[in-house]
Amino acid sequence: MEQGSMEATNPNPSSMSGVAAASAAELLCCASARALLDSVDAFLFDCDGVIWKGDKLIDGVPQTLDMLRSKGKKLVFVTNNSTKSRIQYANKFQSLGLSVNQDEIFSSSFAAAMYLKVNQFPPHKKVYVIGGEGIVQELQLAGFTALGGPVGAVVVGLDPDINYYKLQYATLCIRENPGCLFIATNRDSVGHMTDLQEWPGAGCMVAAVCGSTEQEPIVVGKPSTFMMDFLLQKFNVSTSRMCMVGDRLDTDILFGQNAGCKTLLVLSGVTTQSTLDDPSNSIKPDYYTNKVSDILSLLGE
């Protein structure tokens, strides 16, 4: 991988309508579940709303993941939630009884650090973070410092402790420091912080900084395919032999489509059946189903 060879993108869902609306989504059935399994070597899973909601596993997930591993499928977990580092996510998986190692996890916090690394961000410059410990940890592991100055990049992710001072300082850095990068981990408007409610997502914090700086960020999380470059290097699987499984149309499914993967929408998270069927929705997955464990039941495993 050449240094500086990767660029994060900020695709506009409306510009993808010609691709996304090419065909209607198909409800997963026994035959299509079997065909999908046979045509895919790696399953990429979102986490919030797909594997768990808050700290509660969604029914049937452990058995489904075990079945896929027994069939020789590679499993990768690609999350836009930047509040945790990959190490912290591995610990969360373990606490929920799932055996997932750090190398199988690709978070937007990791993507932010890797974006700076591959684009040769000067090590003497500092990174100002609006976000959680996950971003700070990944920056430190990549050799960057999130305290002090001069600030050469501002990274904005989900921050439950967002306040006016943080917004003001980020705005000053982006507007006053020549060449200061404005990086967003993701632009999800809401997320499942608990198993019962959707809470404001990182997109709210990003929007605030966009408003005060009158600038658009570099987005490194889904639907940007920036993380896909690392996935391809790590697992050596063609994107045509991958299936992205997620609960959001504008991030998970669009990410899979942008990368050339097969796509499976689950209705256990943010997206509802009515949203999927809405005539104004131009993002159509290849397949959709209620929850991940439907794969298991449809295959009769």
Side-chain angles (χ1 to χ4, degrees), residues 31-106:
S32 56
R34 175 60 61 186
L36 181 63
L37 189 71
D38 292 342
S39 65
V40 167
D41 297 322
F43 283 86
L44 316 182
F45 291 96
D46 178 44
C47 294
D48 296 310
V50 177
I51 302 299
W52 56 59
K53 285 186 176 181
D55 292 321
K56 183 179 179 181
L57 271 180
I58 293 174
D59 291 344
V61 164
Q63 297 88 339
T64 306
L65 299 184
D66 287 345
M67 180 274 292
L68 293 174
R69 287 192 191 277
S70 73
K71 302 288 187 184
K73 307 302 179 183
K74 294 181 173 68
L75 305 185
V76 187
F77 301 88
V78 187
T79 175
N80 266 0
N81 191 327
S82 63
T83 56
K84 293 180 173 61
S85 65
R86 290 171 301 154
I87 293 173
Q88 290 172 317
Y89 270 115
N91 290 337
K92 178 171 182 174
F93 275 105
Q94 185 176 17
S95 72
L96 294 173
L98 299 176
S99 180
V100 175
N101 65 58
Q102 179 182 326
D103 291 337
E104 295 175 311
I105 301 166
F106 290 79

Side-chain angles (χ1 to χ4, degrees), residues 87-270:
I87 293 173
Q88 290 172 317
Y89 270 115
N91 290 337
K92 178 171 182 174
F93 275 105
Q94 185 176 17
S95 72
L96 294 173
L98 299 176
S99 180
V100 175
N101 65 58
Q102 179 182 326
D103 291 337
E104 295 175 311
I105 301 166
F106 290 79
S107 62
S108 62
S109 53
F110 170 70
M114 289 302 99
Y115 180 85
L116 294 173
K117 189 169 185 177
V118 302
N119 285 285
Q120 299 177 311
F121 182 74
H124 70 277
K125 289 189 175 182
K126 305 302 186 290
V127 183
Y128 181 64
V129 175
I130 293 180
E133 185 63 25
I135 299 173
V136 175
Q137 283 194 16
E138 292 291 358
L139 288 171
Q140 291 173 339
L141 289 169
F144 303 116
T145 304
L147 294 173
V151 173
V154 173
V155 176
V156 182
L158 179 62
D159 190 343
D161 299 314
I162 188 76
N163 58 44
Y164 189 79
Y165 170 79
K166 292 181 179 182
L167 294 175
Q168 167 67 352
Y169 191 69
T171 300
L172 286 175
C173 291
I174 293 168
R175 296 183 67 169
E176 304 294 336
N177 294 358
C180 183
L181 300 173
F182 173 19
I183 298 171
T185 59
N186 63 295
R187 301 188 84 158
D188 296 39
S189 57
V190 296
H192 284 281
M193 300 300 107
T194 72
D195 62 323
L196 298 176
Q197 296 174 324
E198 292 177 359
W199 288 34
C204 302
M205 292 82 188
V206 174
V209 180
C210 288
S212 61
T213 61
E214 299 183 328
Q215 292 189 33
E216 288 296 307
I218 300 161
V219 182
V220 294
K222 297 171 293 186
S224 164
T225 55
F226 178 72
M227 283 193 283
M228 184 58 73
D229 294 304
F230 291 92
L231 288 170
L232 292 173
Q233 184 188 53
K234 178 71 179 178
F235 295 100
N236 194 31
V237 176
S238 168
T239 56
S240 65
R241 300 284 301 178
M242 294 181 181
C243 179
M244 178 68 216
V245 183
D247 70 314
R248 292 189 67 104
L249 294 167
D250 59 348
T251 55
D252 303 322
I253 301 307
L254 193 56
F255 171 76
Q257 291 176 342
N258 287 344
C261 303
K262 295 175 177 64
T263 53
L264 172 62
L265 175 74
V266 291
L267 303 177
S268 53
V270 170

Side-chain angles (χ1 to χ4, degrees), residues 29-30 33 64 67 289 291-301:
C29 64
C30 295
T64 306
M67 180 274 292
T289 192
K291 56 186 182 300
V292 165
S293 61
D294 290 346
I295 301 172
L296 186 69
S297 57
L298 288 169
L299 291 173
E301 298 289 339

